Amino acid sequence: MEFTDFGNKLSSHSGILQLMDDIAKPLPSGVVPKPLGGGNPARVKEVEEAYRRELEKLLSDGEKFEDVICHYDSPQGRVSFIEAVAEFFHSEYGWPVGPENIAITNGSQSAMFYLFNLFAGKTGEKTKTLLFPLMPEYIGYADQGIEENVFVSLPSKCEYYDDRTFKYKLDTEAVESYLSSHPEVGAMAVSRPTNPSGNVLTDDEIRKLSQLAARHSIPLIVDNAYGLPFPDIIFADNAAPIWNENIVLSMSLSKIGLPSIRTGIVIAEKEIIKAVGNMNAIIALATGSIGPVLAEDLLRTGELTRLASEVVLPFYKAKADRMTALIRKYFDGTDYYLHRIEGSIFCWIYLPSLSIPTLQFYSELMKDGVVTVPGEYFFFGSKEQMEGGAYPHDHYDKCLRLNYSGQDELVEEGVRIIAERYRQFSV
């Protein structure tokens, strides 16, 4: 049996496969797991109760439940939910969007796969590339290109502060220069908040990227899976929702309580939305209905955004503050830097004195039941950029991503062990 190049590429080992596999992989007998690795959000009681009420309403409303589960939605997604999304963003933010500007996908991961391959790859005799202007970036993007060597990236600038924190900054001049000298770039993509670092691109940075995209006639894809207005896991100021016809905005219901139902939302100009709907038809026939059905009335009544701002945001802000305090406590006296947690459900720690690569450090931590994600997977780019086994950034093999949304006592034990092992493996 022989797989195609496409089959080999998508079925081979990848960082995102390791991340998702670690969520469910059993550890050696007797080892208590300290799961700081995957992207599973926490269970938030008030959010779960809201979805339970919506499901109970659905079940008690004649044959509405049967109608939902027994009929395909359109390839663009559930029409009534699309209308609710369009009405919300038009009335709340004044965006000039209608149903023709919105498509539903089976999760935002699927949306990114569609969008990346719409704009990066063979185009007649030319090959278009996709530029990631702020590296490190989300592990789940790295292997999504159908064709090889179509993702390129730029390392971020870095500012360090006296309190042992740091922050990645967009290197605007480098982005401008790259776009000017590389007309083959077909799109740019960022996550906001940025996964893995919890960095939040400012409004000015997003507007600058949007202006550059417009100047070069390419779209700016913004992955807003943790952002405003829902789930609203943003702790930074100056981070308003932004959309215009140069921006393709991807959203998700995963981090506001529905990770297993896989519901992504894409807001873009109508030509892109039509393409996404057509891809849905070919790849999946249609999108799942349950997520849109459970969220529709919550969105129309304002309950979804209330839950985001009054429940989800303070829940994760308390978790983030606790994680910061734990790292300061257990890493005190070591050479470490914590990226300022401005959003998402992760923290990103830089360990400059680590004597082994974080891929190896990750394996050492697994022996103690501590599940993390090694930093190497979050630095990716073209073949030329990755030759030699190190991305051109000092942080390439010295960082760990930690999910702080789990049980407090397990998170604390995990941080304690990581700090202890760091002392053991420091130069």
Side-chain angles (χ1 to χ4, degrees):
M1 181 170 60
E2 187 176 9
F3 288 167
T4 63
D5 290 346
F6 171 83
N8 284 322
K9 187 175 191 305
L10 267 70
S11 63
S12 62
H13 181 78
S14 63
I16 194 62
L17 171 64
Q18 179 172 314
L19 182 151
M20 296 305 294
D21 195 38
D22 283 344
I23 292 176
K25 188 192 316 182
L27 292 168
S29 177
V31 176
V32 177
K34 276 70 71 174
L36 280 71
N40 238 32
R43 293 181 58 179
V44 182
K45 184 179 179 182
E46 194 171 338
V47 174
E48 292 180 338
E49 288 173 346
Y51 289 128
R52 178 177 285 275
R53 288 193 298 271
E54 292 303 308
L55 183 56
E56 288 171 348
K57 280 166 49 181
L58 179 66
L59 292 168
S60 64
D61 187 1
E63 292 191 350
K64 192 172 181 180
F65 172 74
E66 288 77 12
D67 184 59
V68 167
I69 65 170
C70 291
H71 296 94
Y72 292 122
D73 281 335
S74 78
Q76 190 178 328
R78 191 167 189 83
V79 173
S80 60
F81 182 63
I82 287 173
E83 291 172 346
V85 172
E87 290 166 9
F88 172 82
F89 282 104
H90 180 71
S91 63
E92 194 73 18
Y93 299 106
W95 294 356
V97 297
E100 69 277 9
N101 297 109
I102 294 157
I104 309 304
T105 60
N106 291 317
S108 58
Q109 184 86 358
S110 297
M112 292 298 109
F113 180 76
Y114 292 175
L115 293 167
F116 291 173
N117 290 291
L118 270 176
F119 296 106
K122 282 283 186 184
T123 307
E125 297 299 314
K126 297 184 257 183
T127 298
K128 290 287 188 179
T129 61
L130 182 74
L131 174 63
F132 295 95
L134 190 81
M135 198 59 52
E137 256 292 4
Y138 172 46
I139 190 174
Y141 299 158
D143 300 289
Q144 286 206 327
I146 290 176
E147 296 180 46
E148 295 284 353
N149 213 33
V150 294
F151 290 174
V152 294
S153 58
L154 293 171
S156 58
K157 295 192 293 187
C158 191
E159 287 188 359
Y160 296 91
Y161 307 102
D162 292 339
D163 62 352
R164 290 221 163 258
T165 63
F166 71 99
K167 178 175 167 57
Y168 293 128
K169 296 284 189 80
L170 182 71
D171 190 340
T172 305
E173 291 182 2
V175 178
E176 287 191 72
S177 175
Y178 191 91
L179 290 174
S180 297
S181 58
H182 291 81
E184 73 278 6
V185 174
M188 289 189 287
V190 295
S191 55
R192 187 193 194 217
T194 303
N195 180 351
S197 65
N199 183 65
V200 174
L201 287 163
T202 66
D203 292 347
D204 287 344
E205 287 175 319
I206 290 293
R207 290 192 183 101
K208 181 63 177 177
L209 287 173
S210 175
Q211 291 164 4
L212 287 171
R215 187 185 307 167
H216 292 274
S217 301
I218 60 174
L220 170 64
I221 301 167
V222 179
D223 186 345
N224 191 45
Y226 298 88
L228 287 161
F230 52 85
D232 194 4
I233 311 177
I234 287 188
F235 318 133
D237 298 326
N238 194 19
I242 297 174
W243 183 83
N244 57 51
E245 288 198 345
N246 300 315
I247 293 176
V248 181
L249 187 65
S250 173
M251 302 187 64
S252 172
L253 297 181
S254 289
K255 271 57 185 186
I256 191 158
L258 298 178
S260 70
I261 291 182
R262 314 306 302 127
T263 304
I265 303 165
V266 179
I267 304 175
E269 64 169 37
K270 59 185 179 181
E271 184 179 357
I272 294 173
I273 292 303
K274 183 176 181 184
V276 170
N278 291 351
M279 294 173 88
N280 271 335
I282 291 171
I283 296 170
L285 294 183
T287 57
S289 303
I290 296 297
V293 167
L294 293 180
E296 182 177 328
D297 283 351
L298 296 177
L299 181 62
R300 289 188 185 277
T301 62
E303 180 66 1
L304 192 68
T305 50
R306 185 198 72 79
L307 287 168
S309 62
E310 297 181 13
V311 178
V312 175
L313 171 60
F315 175 89
Y316 281 110
K317 182 63 169 67
K319 291 271 190 183
D321 289 346
R322 187 173 187 276
M323 187 62 156
T324 300
L326 289 174
I327 287 173
R328 292 193 188 285
K329 174 183 176 181
Y330 288 109
F331 281 83
D332 185 45
T334 70
D335 186 16
Y336 80 95
Y337 287 90
L338 174 67
H339 193 286
R340 292 187 168 179
I341 307 177
E342 299 179 331
S344 81
I345 63 176
F346 311 110
C347 75
W348 179 249
I349 188 165
Y350 172 43
L351 306 174
S353 296
L354 190 65
S355 61
I356 57 176
T358 45
L359 272 168
Q360 187 179 341
F361 192 46
Y362 154 87
S363 297
E364 293 293 331
L365 293 170
M366 285 286 279
K367 296 174 183 177
D368 294 315
V370 182
V371 184
T372 63
V373 186
E376 287 92 330
Y377 289 128
F378 298 93
F379 294 91
F380 52 89
S382 66
K383 182 179 178 182
E384 289 74 21
Q385 288 176 308
M386 303 310 295
E387 280 179 348
Y391 185 84
H393 199 295
D394 292 343
H395 293 190
Y396 171 72
D397 60 356
K398 303 291 185 185
C399 293
L400 290 175
R401 192 193 78 174
L402 309 177
N403 185 336
Y404 58 76
S405 66
Q407 295 179 30
D408 288 346
E409 61 275 14
L410 293 179
V411 170
E412 178 166 4
E413 180 64 4
V415 171
R416 184 192 67 77
I417 292 171
I418 295 168
E420 181 181 290
R421 290 294 189 213
Y422 180 41
R423 288 181 172 88
Q424 179 184 346
F425 289 100
S426 287
V427 176

